[in-house]
Amino acid sequence: MNPTDPVRCGWCSDDPVYQRYHDEEWGVPCRDAGSLFEMLMLEGFQAGLSWITVLRKREHYRQVYRDFDIAFMANQSDDELHALLQDPGIIRNRLKVYGARRNARAWQRLCADHDPVDWLWQFVGGQPLIRHAATLSEIPAQTAEAKAMSKALQKADFTFVGPTICYAFMQATGMVMDHTADCHCYPALAAG
């Protein structure tokens, strides 16, 4: 680590892709429906893998899913999904690839009845939950809010939305602010 670099959360490596994500996106409140959908998909793709693996593939995912165009994803045929499984630029897991189509269809149904931004943010009362963790060990892998979101998403027919994935999604989209107190991002985000 360069001594002139700002202090970041302990999970952030010296990879520039990771640092940019940490500094500019992680923990910043997101209220854009398209961005929330993209992040929910990416968190599901990450299941069982490291987050940096997904971040490195993010731009390619944006290409193959046309910037996470929900109608495009929902209408993909089995043949198109089978072809996608041959693409080394994505995580070639059959359940995840087919799950993305399922989730796009579930998102369409959710949008027919609700504002998806308000619906997702309801699990934190509409405002970011500000944590004041001094160390990474104080940050949970899941919470009651994440369990409630997971249960509701599963009921709405989403897949790859377990409580741990939902908590990571909440952290990523700023529903929860989990930057540690020594991190350079903490003061501005903790102030709300």
Side-chain angles (χ1 to χ4, degrees), residues 19-145:
Q19 290 180 349
R20 189 169 41 259
Y21 170 74
H22 170 275
D23 293 356
E24 298 172 10
E25 189 171 355
W26 194 76
V28 176
C30 173
R31 295 183 188 272
D32 175 77
S35 298
L36 289 169
F37 176 74
E38 175 182 343
M39 191 54 66
L40 189 61
M41 296 303 95
L42 293 174
E43 291 292 352
F45 297 148
Q46 184 267 335
L49 302 169
S50 67
W51 183 239
I52 191 64
T53 300
V54 175
L55 284 180
R56 288 180 181 145
K57 294 180 180 289
R58 187 180 198 178
E59 287 308 316
H60 193 70
Y61 272 116
R62 286 176 171 165
Q63 290 174 19
V64 300
Y65 285 134
R66 298 182 184 173
D67 285 326
F68 289 87
D69 181 292
I70 295 153
F72 171 76
M73 292 175 68
N75 291 315
Q76 286 185 295
S77 68
D78 286 351
D79 287 344
E80 289 171 316
L81 296 184
H82 181 72
L84 196 53
L85 285 168
Q86 312 313 309
D87 187 336
I90 68 160
I91 296 160
R92 295 181 291 178
N93 175 296
R94 187 177 196 285
L95 292 176
K96 291 177 182 180
V97 169
Y98 279 76
R101 178 177 66 184
R102 175 178 165 177
N103 286 346
R105 291 174 177 174
W107 186 269
Q108 287 178 321
R109 290 188 298 274
L110 177 69
C111 291
D113 297 327
H114 306 280
D115 175 325
V117 176
D118 290 343
W119 191 86
L120 287 165
W121 274 85
Q122 74 176 318
F123 297 99
V124 293
Q127 294 298 318
L129 298 178
I130 308 297
R131 307 273 189 223
H132 302 284
T135 65
L136 288 177
S137 64
E138 295 175 36
I139 298 172
Q142 54 182 258
T143 61
E145 294 88 358

